Amino acid sequence: MFIGWITASNLSGNGLGNELPDLKWITFPDCPMAVRLHNRSNRAIVTCTISVPCTRKDVIDKRMKHSERQLSKEAPWTDLVIAVGVIAMVLGHALFPSIKTDHPASTLYIVIYWWHMPLFFIMGGLTLKPLARNWRAMWQFVRERLLPMASTYLIAGVLLIFASHVIHGDSWGFTAHYFLRLIYGGSALNGDLTMMWFFTVMALTFLVVELLITWTDTFTQFFIAITMFALGISYGSVGFMGEPTTPWAADLVLMTTLWMLCGYHGYRHYSQLKNKAFFATAISIIFVILAICRFEWGLNFVLYLKTHTIKTPYMAFYVPLMVALALCIMAEALYKKGWLNWLRPLSWYAVPILYMHQAVIDVLAMVPALNHTLILWLLGVIISLLIAAGWHHLVKLVFPKLTRN
């Protein structure tokens, strides 16, 4: 059991600083949490929440490990939100070959990109919690959350490079050069590796937001994040070493930090939101109006994160957040009714689906009978899901310790 001491500064907000000499020391299993303070007669005088330094490894573990798996257990309706993002992602890539010749397809493509990439960063904020304010906890976060993302990036990248070599018949020289591009990341990767930029930006955003919520107060967090966002939308693109974007597309963190921070704080106040149905309905109507404006009159709002193509930048802040809120409200309602819960596996296997779906689409497109947007979309989702789930269960069967819990 961890033992902590209360100082006068801890209690000043409760008006108990002068009572300190009459207070006993307290014990508690974790931190922060509700504690009961006692005077010399053992009569409880206050119950409050305090925060004290945590040094025990198990305490740090408990505070740090609020990952996607824990979120799925705590708020299972979030699986439906992420599943919608995955479906939209695959649809966008299935639509891409048609956007230059088909106006409805082009409009749908642009409208999807208004929100589906920011959605993943917003939902990523739901998985974060402040760490203990010491570098041991931060290093543990890097080791257990970010390094696995880096290793997955490299392994997936190598597999996709060889898959692309086979699918497209690339030369070995081109394939060898792609390994260098894998290290650089960002927009240097396209084709079957078109989604690689997302994972480096996600990892960097996790790090930045975790530092903010751990070491700064709420006002400072938003001041920094809003300043970063304003800077991020103020330019077209930043070239480096002949590439149109920075290594790992790191400059996109200027924008994604605010989205993820809003997701982090929004989730903590979400349960207090009243009239959810009204907000979901209003947002849906506004979104449909914006989409119609794009289709009929060419509303000048474009948000392509990978290439940092942004038109009407101020809309890049509120449109993704509005859509994310509406999706959360609708997903929560649908989950309670038991509708569409069969989509949850798309969230569980979102990472491998995002990595491989473009390669799956490219293979399917080689068959003329399958080279249609709707077929590429549906099979791109289903086949990627089956491959991911099948591989997971195979690994679980062969290496049960690796997949325990």
Side-chain angles (χ1 to χ4, degrees), residues 266-284:
Y267 180 57
R268 275 136 193 82
H269 298 283
Y270 177 78
S271 61
Q272 304 170 18
L273 180 65
K274 306 297 182 182
N275 302 315
K276 291 181 180 178
F278 167 79
F279 284 108
T281 303
I283 291 171
S284 299

Side-chain angles (χ1 to χ4, degrees), residues 307-384:
T307 58
H308 204 280
T309 303
I310 306 167
K311 298 180 180 178
T312 313
Y314 70 90
M315 294 181 68
F317 168 67
Y318 70 83
V319 170
L321 292 176
M322 287 171 49
V323 175
L325 176 59
L327 287 175
C328 286
I329 294 171
M330 290 185 282
E332 183 183 26
L334 290 171
Y335 177 80
K336 290 179 179 179
K337 292 181 178 295
W339 300 350
L340 301 182
N341 287 351
W342 49 272
L343 290 176
R344 292 182 67 197
L346 292 176
S347 173
W348 304 339
Y349 298 105
V351 170
I353 293 173
L354 293 181
Y355 270 121
M356 78 173 77
H357 74 273
Q358 185 62 59
V360 172
I361 289 175
D362 286 348
V363 172
L364 293 172
M366 294 179 177
V367 182
L370 301 178
N371 192 17
H372 300 279
T373 299
L374 182 61
I375 296 175
L376 294 177
W377 173 38
L378 293 176
L379 291 184
V381 172
I382 294 172
I383 293 175
S384 299

Side-chain angles (χ1 to χ4, degrees), residues 44-304:
I45 58 174
V46 68
T47 300
C48 63
T49 299
I50 65 170
S51 179
V52 297
C54 299
T55 56
R56 278 182 49 179
K57 184 177 183 299
D58 57 341
V59 174
I60 296 174
D61 287 346
K62 185 171 182 179
R63 297 185 66 190
M64 189 270 291
K65 291 183 178 178
H66 192 233
S67 64
E68 291 83 355
R69 181 176 298 179
Q70 281 72 36
L71 178 64
S72 181
K73 294 179 180 179
E74 178 182 301
W77 54 266
T78 58
D79 287 339
L80 297 182
V81 180
I82 297 172
V84 170
V86 171
I87 292 170
M89 168 61 65
V90 181
L91 175 58
H93 288 158
L95 284 167
F96 182 73
S98 306
I99 62 175
K100 292 184 178 180
T101 58
D102 189 331
H103 182 59
S106 175
T107 300
L108 181 57
Y109 181 84
I110 291 172
V111 167
I112 288 174
Y113 274 78
W114 285 353
W115 58 271
H116 81 308
M117 292 313 303
L119 177 68
F120 290 113
F121 292 98
I122 294 168
M123 298 305 292
L126 277 61
T127 70
L128 296 179
K129 283 187 175 180
L131 306 177
R133 290 190 176 185
N134 59 68
W135 293 111
R136 175 183 175 184
M138 186 57 65
W139 166 242
Q140 185 176 347
F141 173 79
V142 171
R143 187 179 68 246
E144 298 189 6
R145 191 77 182 271
L146 302 187
L147 291 185
M149 293 181 67
S151 61
T152 301
Y153 171 88
L154 293 174
I155 294 172
V158 170
L159 293 176
L160 287 172
I161 288 173
F162 283 117
S164 180
H165 175 82
V166 174
I167 295 170
H168 303 287
D170 298 327
S171 67
W172 282 109
F174 180 86
T175 300
H177 183 255
Y178 230 95
F179 285 102
L180 295 178
R181 295 166 69 177
L182 178 65
I183 302 300
Y184 187 92
S187 64
L189 300 171
N190 46 40
D192 296 334
L193 287 81
T194 189
M195 280 299 299
M196 303 299 289
W197 70 272
F198 166 76
F199 295 97
T200 55
V201 176
M202 178 66 79
L204 293 173
T205 309
F206 273 142
L207 179 60
V208 171
V209 175
E210 192 61 70
L211 287 169
L212 288 176
I213 65 176
T214 297
W215 294 94
T216 65
D217 57 66
T218 301
F219 175 82
T220 305
Q221 293 166 22
F222 276 101
F223 177 80
I224 293 174
I226 292 173
T227 302
M228 291 172 64
F229 191 87
L231 178 61
I233 63 176
S234 66
Y235 61 92
S237 62
V238 176
F240 185 79
M241 295 180 63
E243 295 293 338
T245 59
T246 57
W248 301 351
D251 64 305
L252 296 181
V253 177
L254 292 171
M255 296 179 61
T256 58
T257 294
L258 181 57
W259 290 326
M260 186 174 289
L261 186 65
C262 288
Y264 165 76
H265 284 285
Y267 180 57
R268 275 136 193 82
H269 298 283
Y270 177 78
S271 61
Q272 304 170 18
L273 180 65
K274 306 297 182 182
N275 302 315
K276 291 181 180 178
F278 167 79
F279 284 108
T281 303
I283 291 171
S284 299
I285 293 173
I286 293 172
F287 184 79
V288 170
I289 292 173
L290 292 176
I292 293 174
C293 289
R294 175 66 202 188
F295 181 79
E296 294 290 346
W297 304 290
L299 174 67
N300 192 29
F301 174 38
V302 173
L303 180 58
Y304 298 147

